[in-house]
Amino acid sequence: MSTGFKGKVALVTGASTGIGRATALLFGQRGAAVAVVARDPVKAALVVDEIRAAGGEAAFIGADMREPGDIAAMVAQTVKRFGGLHCAFNNAGVNGIAAPFHEQTLAEFERVVQVNLTSVFLCMQHEIRHMLGAAGGVIVNNCSGAGLIPAPELPHYTAAKHGLLGLAKVAAKEYANRNIRVNSICPGVIDTPMMQAHLGQDSGTIDALLAQLPGKRMGRPEDIARAAVWLCSDDAAYVSGDTMVVDGGLMAH
Ligand SMILES: NC(=O)c1ccc[n+]([C@@H]2O[C@H](COP(=O)([O-])OP(=O)(O)OC[C@H]3O[C@@H](n4cnc5c(N)ncnc54)[C@H](O)[C@@H]3O)[C@@H](O)[C@H]2O)c1
């Protein structure tokens, strides 16, 4: 086990599946105590068990990102359980129902913005409040290529992810002199349950997508996990307010 995060506490939201799961596992491998934040205790327990089986330390923290009280409790419980909070990967998100812009409902718009943007604002507030009272910390928000370019028929997702980049940049500026770094990752097309649901069962759709990708493959959750953990590491000590695109060259122009 590499021990770059020995003595550090890392919190990961949406940690029971996909990119969050891979990032929680990697933090565990690197020696951090990991708060595995999720709604589903059964799936989360598998991640906790996997980290412990590899010699790491982890605990499940239940939280629904639609509930402000859960988010406050998530940070408080992490600090109580592990004695601190040094790194936070705000990753939980939903894709939203795809539909032409003019047919989207207000309810669906508000649902996607609440989970993907408002919840991250609240996560950051609670994380920063703790970090201000400690020696600082690092926050990484999981954004999307849709934070930089539009995803047609997903105006809610696009708006929320564009907004996330703004949140990270404001916080990076405000807290640079308090030893708190804040960055964003924009994944490209990553093979996770969310992407599988988005693509559906149509192999023609998947083949057409793969043909568009520069490396002819989707990214793996681990590709994003390595970027997130690096941004949280001391190797990235002077990186803040940045937007890191991890998409295998998809958006290069
Ligand atoms: N997969 C991709 O290609 C891709 C691309 C760009 C960005 N992303 C972003 O990556 C993040 C993780 O997605 P993923 O691809 O790993 O898919 P995923 O569906 O495996 O992960 C999303 C996680 O968020 C959790 N979540 C959703 N709503 C929640 C709520 N209300 N409260 C608590 N948790 C909630 C889910 O339970 C799940 O664990 C998302 O923010 C997504 O927008 C993914």
Side-chain angles (χ1 to χ4, degrees):
M1 184 196 282
S2 139
T3 55
F5 285 84
K6 194 98 193 128
K8 298 273 173 67
V9 178
L11 176 160
V12 179
T13 70
S16 64
T17 61
I19 294 167
R21 174 181 172 277
T23 307
L25 293 175
L26 187 57
F27 269 125
Q29 283 166 24
R30 299 276 168 92
V34 189
V36 175
V37 181
R39 288 171 299 179
D40 182 339
V42 178
K43 276 193 205 156
L46 297 175
V47 179
V48 169
D49 289 349
E50 202 169 333
I51 293 171
R52 288 180 182 163
E57 194 182 354
F60 164 61
I61 308 274
D64 186 327
M65 291 297 123
R66 292 166 298 187
E67 299 294 337
D70 282 14
I71 293 171
M74 164 190 89
V75 171
Q77 284 175 28
T78 300
V79 172
K80 189 171 174 209
R81 175 72 172 73
F82 294 117
L85 172 61
H86 305 94
C87 311
F89 184 46
N90 299 316
N91 161 76
V94 289
N95 208 23
I97 296 168
F101 195 110
H102 67 282
E103 290 175 10
Q104 288 283 354
T105 65
L106 177 59
E108 178 61 1
F109 186 86
E110 289 182 338
R111 180 183 78 90
V112 175
V113 168
Q114 185 180 21
V115 177
N116 288 1
L117 180 63
T118 311
S119 81
V120 177
F121 167 68
L122 292 170
C123 286
M124 290 172 69
Q125 281 198 313
H126 290 287
E127 291 155 2
I128 288 167
R129 282 175 194 146
H130 171 76
M131 289 170 181
L132 284 172
V138 193
I139 296 172
V140 177
N141 293 337
N142 202 6
C143 186
S144 170
L148 293 164
I149 58 171
E153 301 209 338
L154 295 175
H156 34 36
Y157 187 81
T158 302
K161 294 295 189 179
H162 272 66
L164 275 187
L165 296 182
L167 289 185
K169 288 177 192 176
V170 171
K173 286 260 189 212
E174 282 194 42
Y175 301 107
N177 64 351
R178 303 293 298 272
N179 199 30
I180 297 174
R181 297 189 292 107
V182 188
N183 291 293
S184 307
I185 293 182
C186 290
V189 178
I190 313 299
D191 192 1
T192 67
M194 179 188 285
M195 183 51 67
Q196 292 294 347
H198 180 65
L199 294 174
Q201 300 303 315
D202 183 354
S203 58
T205 311
I206 297 171
D207 289 347
L209 172 75
L210 291 178
Q212 283 174 29
L213 301 179
K216 309 299 175 211
R217 74 157 175 95
M218 286 191 237
R220 302 179 185 100
E222 294 74 17
D223 292 320
I224 308 304
R226 280 190 290 271
V229 170
W230 180 78
L231 281 170
C232 287
S233 75
D234 290 343
D235 286 343
Y238 202 56
V239 181
S240 196
D242 190 39
T243 301
M244 182 189 277
V245 176
V246 185
D247 71 350
L250 179 61
M251 286 197 295
H253 64 278

